[in-house]
Amino acid sequence: MPYLGLGACSAGSTGAGVGEAYGLNSSAGKLYLNDQRVQQNAAAIDTITGDLLRDPQTGMHKGMESVAQQVYLALRTLRGSSVVKNLGFAFKFKVISETTAQKVRDAVNEALNDLVLRRLIAIERVDVERVKVTAISILVVWKNLTNGETNTTRFTPNG
């Protein structure tokens, strides 16, 4: 064990005694673990409530992949409501028409454009499905270019 400066020799050759500073490597701690107990690099977000998820046994935040978190935030944040100017989804509708699906695809591409330009993701498919007379469901299939995983994000705008 290294000599710790404080307490080992309070009036030593340096102001805090003899020894060396002792610190923990920040990458050594398992800050975020997913459900399979694999270390992740971002806090997991509940896609329904928007709350950060915690492990019920330990109370520690659960983890998710940071690129997946960025995709979630880009699609769930209303454009213009964040400090980040280009973050968010900017599509609201009152009437579903023949052009709604294309407008939604354009809005998804715009919301995820920054992640695409930074080569973090590639959008593979955007499906728009009418679920009610006044509601649509959007399915975005995207590839995480940092680890090669293909992911699916489903959401409903305006709600």
Side-chain angles (χ1 to χ4, degrees):
M1 182 165 143
Y3 289 98
L4 299 179
L6 295 173
C9 184
S10 60
S13 60
T14 65
V18 225
E20 58 192 53
Y22 186 77
L24 179 64
N25 180 347
S26 64
S27 64
K30 294 192 182 251
L31 299 177
Y32 303 114
L33 299 176
N34 66 9
D35 291 333
Q36 291 76 35
R37 311 293 296 158
V38 175
Q39 187 171 350
Q40 299 292 302
N41 54 5
I45 300 174
D46 184 320
T47 58
I48 306 298
T49 65
D51 296 330
L52 294 178
L53 294 174
R54 290 184 176 265
D55 185 312
Q57 292 154 341
T58 64
M60 300 292 290
H61 286 290
K62 287 186 178 184
M64 73 187 296
E65 219 287 317
S66 64
V67 174
Q69 185 188 65
Q70 290 176 69
V71 169
Y72 168 80
L73 291 171
L75 294 174
R76 293 302 298 169
T77 303
L78 179 62
R79 187 173 286 258
S81 68
S82 168
V83 173
V84 181
K85 180 182 171 189
N86 295 326
L87 176 69
F89 187 73
F91 180 75
K92 286 193 170 258
F93 64 93
K94 294 187 182 190
V95 177
I96 300 173
S97 68
E98 304 81 37
T99 62
T100 301
Q102 186 56 50
K103 288 178 183 176
V104 167
R105 286 185 195 95
D106 292 344
V108 167
N109 286 326
E110 185 180 352
L112 298 177
N113 188 45
D114 183 56
L115 298 173
V116 171
L117 289 176
R118 291 190 293 150
R119 295 190 178 118
L120 294 174
I121 68 166
I123 302 170
E124 294 188 350
R125 194 172 86 235
V126 178
D127 295 334
V128 182
E129 177 186 359
R130 191 174 192 157
V131 290
K132 293 181 184 175
V133 175
T134 59
I136 59 174
S137 176
I138 303 168
L139 177 81
V140 182
V141 179
W142 54 277
K143 185 172 186 173
N144 183 337
L145 299 177
T146 66
N147 62 14
E149 289 180 353
T150 298
N151 297 279
T152 302
T153 302
R154 181 180 295 276
F155 70 104
T156 9
N158 303 352

